[in-house]
Amino acid sequence: MFKKDGNNEIKTLSHSTYRCQYHIVFAPKYRRKEIYGQLKKDIGEILRKLCEQKGVEIIEAEMCPDHVHMLVRIPPNISGSSFVGYLKGKSTLMIFERHANL
C-alpha cells in the first residue's frame, strides 16, 4: 500500500509505516575517470540488476565522470550498510568479470 506525501511515497505494512531512503555515492579508487567513460552503460545495468534482486527501488541515479550518485528506497528488513556492502562487492566482481582487461 502506498500513500502519497508530496513527491515521497510512504509505504505501510500491517504494523508499521516507513520511508527508508538513502543517498549513496560510489567513487572508484583515485577517482579514475576513464573507467566510467568506457563502462558507464554497463555499470548502470549492473546496479539496476543488483537492486532489483534485493527488492530495492532506485528513485534517482546519476553517473558522473568519476563517481555515481544513487537515491534508493531500501525496505526496513535490509540495513543500509549491509545493502551498500552487497552492492559494492557484487558490482565490483561483475564489472571485473566482464571487463578483466582494464
Side-chain angles (χ1 to χ4, degrees), residues 30-47:
Y30 309 119
R31 289 193 176 248
R32 295 184 179 166
K33 295 178 184 180
E34 67 275 359
I35 291 175
Y36 284 99
Q38 298 168 12
L39 308 176
K40 184 176 182 177
K41 184 179 176 186
D42 199 29
I43 290 171
E45 290 173 9
I46 289 170
L47 294 176

Side-chain angles (χ1 to χ4, degrees), residues 1 3 8 10 16 24 28 44 49 51 53 57 59 66 74 80-81:
M1 180 175 170
K3 294 180 185 176
N8 299 316
I10 299 173
S16 62
I24 302 169
K49 181 180 176 183
C51 287
Q53 288 176 356
E57 179 186 351
I59 299 168
D66 61 351
I74 301 175
S81 62

Side-chain angles (χ1 to χ4, degrees), residues 6 29-32 41 52 60 62 80 84-85 91 97:
K29 194 171 184 177
Y30 309 119
R31 289 193 176 248
R32 295 184 179 166
K41 184 179 176 186
E52 190 176 293
E60 199 173 321
E62 182 180 359
V84 171
S91 65
E97 181 180 287

Side-chain angles (χ1 to χ4, degrees), residues 10-102:
I10 299 173
K11 290 190 174 188
T12 59
L13 297 173
S14 60
H15 297 288
S16 62
T17 301
Y18 64 93
R19 178 178 31 211
C20 304
Q21 296 179 348
Y22 297 88
H23 179 228
I24 302 169
V25 180
F26 293 103
K29 194 171 184 177
Y30 309 119
R31 289 193 176 248
R32 295 184 179 166
K33 295 178 184 180
E34 67 275 359
I35 291 175
Y36 284 99
Q38 298 168 12
L39 308 176
K40 184 176 182 177
K41 184 179 176 186
D42 199 29
I43 290 171
E45 290 173 9
I46 289 170
L47 294 176
R48 275 191 295 276
K49 181 180 176 183
L50 292 173
C51 287
E52 190 176 293
Q53 288 176 356
K54 283 287 191 177
V56 173
E57 179 186 351
I58 299 174
I59 299 168
E60 199 173 321
E62 182 180 359
M63 297 283 290
C64 297
D66 61 351
H67 61 283
V68 179
H69 286 271
M70 293 176 69
L71 180 62
V72 294
R73 182 174 290 123
I74 301 175
N77 62 334
I78 303 172
S79 72
S81 62
S82 68
F83 173 71
V84 171
Y86 165 81
L87 195 61
K88 285 177 66 176
K90 291 290 186 183
S91 65
T92 300
L93 292 173
M94 291 173 78
I95 291 167
F96 184 75
E97 181 180 287
R98 292 181 186 186
H99 306 281
N101 57 349
L102 292 177

